[in-house]
Amino acid sequence: MTAVNRRDRPRISPGLRLGGPPVSRRTGLIAALAAGGAALVAFPVVVSAPWMVNIGLFTLMYAALASAWNLVGGYAGYPSLGHAAFFGIGAYTEAIWWTHRSAGSGYGPFWTLPLVGLVAAALAVPVAWIAMRTRADVFAIVTITLLFVVQTLAFNLRGLTGGAQGLAMPVAPFAPDTFERPFYYAMLVLFAAALALSYAVLRSRLGLALVAVRADEDKARGVGVPVTAAKLTAFAVSVAVTAMAGGVWAYYLSFIYPQFAIDPLLSIGMVLMVFLGGRGTLWGPVLGAFVVAPTQQYLAYRFGASQLYLIAYAALFVVIMLLMPRGALPTWTDWRRRRTAGVRT
């Protein structure tokens, strides 16, 4: 049997509906998206303070990372804790390629980002083929082990990565007053790409296959869903976006260290943002990123290197698990549905 029978298909949550919204809502949705996109494009022009543009840049980076993680951890139900490893691989790939090359006008490193994504995806497929033989908690342990293996390699392959002394990239020759702006727009493009990929996956057979895997992988395999191909495709796309974000990050900082490029807190941040907004939804990771990332960046500026934001991370995660285990968007959707049903009765 090569297709999923209608009665065998898993029930899809409101955040995962493959059909588009009603026509009456679609115009409003398109208008809201256009307004939001215009606001994001205009933000670094309207806001002149470099520190605020920097916060916007990192917010977009986390929104792209959370949306990418959601392809694996949300749609397929495989909670990866090792995505920071591929963020670091992307950062080091970009840095190694440009270490002894001139950035020219400054935009050259941006054009190599698709190559960075392809390298990360190629490395991810054999890793995922092995790691995704496990599930749930075991998969999380395997992926975080991968993170520490990659971090250890970055410390010890001194001839390639510079080891603990770090690795330098050419400093971008952009004007100091608007230095952050090109990097902001690069992150904006990555965020838009991650969101578009998430939307395309939801409306495709791949999205239906991933939902089936999350609902019951054994049953999905039994009724003919290409489980392995779906999981590997989602993982490859996810880490490709993650690696490209790492490439932009490395070029922005122009000097990278293993403990920062391959940081477990980066993976934790992705997971927290997705769980806050709603795992397995299109807009949940975006909501989570736009709440958590600016707050974290502001606290970092406010309190310096005290890392007090880690306490806020832990507290927020506990609150989410206790009050909104499904995330903000699904919880709000359920409340709205119950309220509507109560009004009708």
Side-chain angles (χ1 to χ4, degrees), residues 213-329:
V213 168
R214 190 183 68 180
D216 192 326
E217 184 170 338
D218 293 328
K219 186 176 181 179
R221 191 187 302 275
V223 297
V225 174
V227 169
T228 302
K231 293 190 298 183
L232 293 182
T233 301
F235 197 87
V237 173
S238 177
V239 301
V241 175
T242 302
M244 287 189 283
V248 177
W249 174 85
Y251 186 34
Y252 178 55
L253 298 184
S254 74
F255 205 94
I256 56 176
Y257 295 96
Q259 64 268 35
F260 300 126
I262 310 166
D263 187 357
L265 292 178
L266 188 70
S267 290
I268 294 173
M270 297 183 213
V271 175
L272 176 61
M273 293 167 192
V274 174
F275 272 79
L276 171 61
R279 186 172 60 155
T281 64
L282 178 63
W283 294 103
V286 179
L287 173 63
F290 274 74
V291 170
V292 176
T295 304
Q296 184 266 326
Q297 291 295 314
Y298 175 77
L299 292 175
Y301 280 112
R302 181 74 174 175
F303 299 105
S306 63
Q307 295 189 340
L308 290 176
Y309 70 91
L310 296 179
I311 299 176
Y313 263 23
L316 180 59
F317 199 81
V318 170
V319 170
I320 293 170
M321 291 296 98
L322 292 177
L323 302 181
M324 297 184 299
R326 296 180 57 208
L329 287 184

Side-chain angles (χ1 to χ4, degrees), residues 146-235:
L146 169 68
L147 184 153
F148 287 115
V149 168
V150 173
Q151 188 185 72
T152 302
L153 290 174
F155 272 112
N156 289 278
L157 297 177
R158 298 180 181 87
L160 187 64
T161 66
Q165 295 181 349
L167 188 64
M169 280 190 68
V171 178
F174 301 135
D177 294 341
T178 58
F179 181 81
E180 294 83 5
R181 193 175 296 176
F183 299 98
Y184 175 92
Y185 285 124
M187 285 298 186
L188 179 58
V189 170
L190 280 179
F191 165 58
L195 199 60
L197 285 170
S198 297
Y199 181 74
V201 167
L202 285 180
R203 294 180 61 86
S204 67
R205 291 181 180 272
L206 175 60
L208 185 59
L210 293 176
V211 173
V213 168
R214 190 183 68 180
D216 192 326
E217 184 170 338
D218 293 328
K219 186 176 181 179
R221 191 187 302 275
V223 297
V225 174
V227 169
T228 302
K231 293 190 298 183
L232 293 182
T233 301
F235 197 87

